[in-house]
């Protein structure tokens, strides 16, 4: 097999989780989040300082802004964070956080 720049890019994409910027930890915490002025319920499945994967059902779009509420820190404290959907899977959505914390009345 001839190795080209394109094949190297595909290998990099395939290795995705190994190329993360932030360490992830697994969790199983309930959350609620808003997207397009609708409120959804879901479950955090993994978390990092840069984002989270939420098991949820709904009609979502990549790039869609969201506000996520729940236990978002390893110390167990509750926060609200804004983010954007970066990946959609059958089981749920991956959200990249876009800021540290949002105001308490943001929902």
């Amino acid at each position: 097999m001839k190795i080209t720049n394109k094949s190297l890019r595909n290998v990099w994409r395939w290795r995705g989780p190994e190329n993360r910027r932030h360490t992830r930890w697994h969790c199983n915490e309930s959350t609620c989040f808003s997207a397009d002025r609708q409120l959804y319920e879901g479950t955090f499945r993994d978390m990092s300082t840069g984002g989270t994967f939420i098991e949820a059902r709904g009609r979502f779009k990549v790039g869609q802004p969201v506000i996520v509420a729940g236990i978002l820190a390893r110390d167990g404290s509750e926060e609200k964070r804004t983010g954007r959907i970066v990946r959609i899977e059958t089981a749920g959505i991956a959200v990249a956080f876009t800021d540290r914390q949002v105001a308490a009345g943001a929902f």
Side-chain angles (χ1 to χ4, degrees), residues 9-99:
R9 282 195 308 268
N10 289 337
V11 169
W12 183 83
R13 285 184 194 141
W14 180 76
R15 291 181 46 208
E18 296 151 12
N19 292 318
R20 296 193 190 281
R21 288 185 211 147
H22 306 282
T23 302
R24 293 200 170 251
W25 60 93
H26 296 286
C27 52
N28 188 20
E29 296 288 334
S30 295
T31 182
C32 58
F33 63 98
S34 66
D36 286 339
R37 302 176 74 162
Q38 286 192 306
L39 193 60
Y40 297 90
E41 292 183 354
T43 305
F44 292 123
R45 290 300 177 204
D46 68 32
M47 181 81 56
S48 78
T49 56
T52 185
F53 185 84
I54 303 172
E55 187 176 283
R57 292 182 182 248
R59 296 180 68 84
F60 306 109
K61 299 174 282 204
V62 171
Q64 184 175 16
V66 295
I67 300 174
V68 180
I71 298 174
L72 294 167
R74 290 192 99 167
D75 65 3
S77 61
E78 293 189 21
E79 295 180 342
K80 290 182 184 175
R81 304 268 312 261
T82 59
R84 291 204 177 274
I85 297 173
V86 294
R87 190 176 73 251
I88 300 171
E89 295 181 6
T90 307
I93 58 173
V95 174
F97 297 132
T98 55
D99 72 355

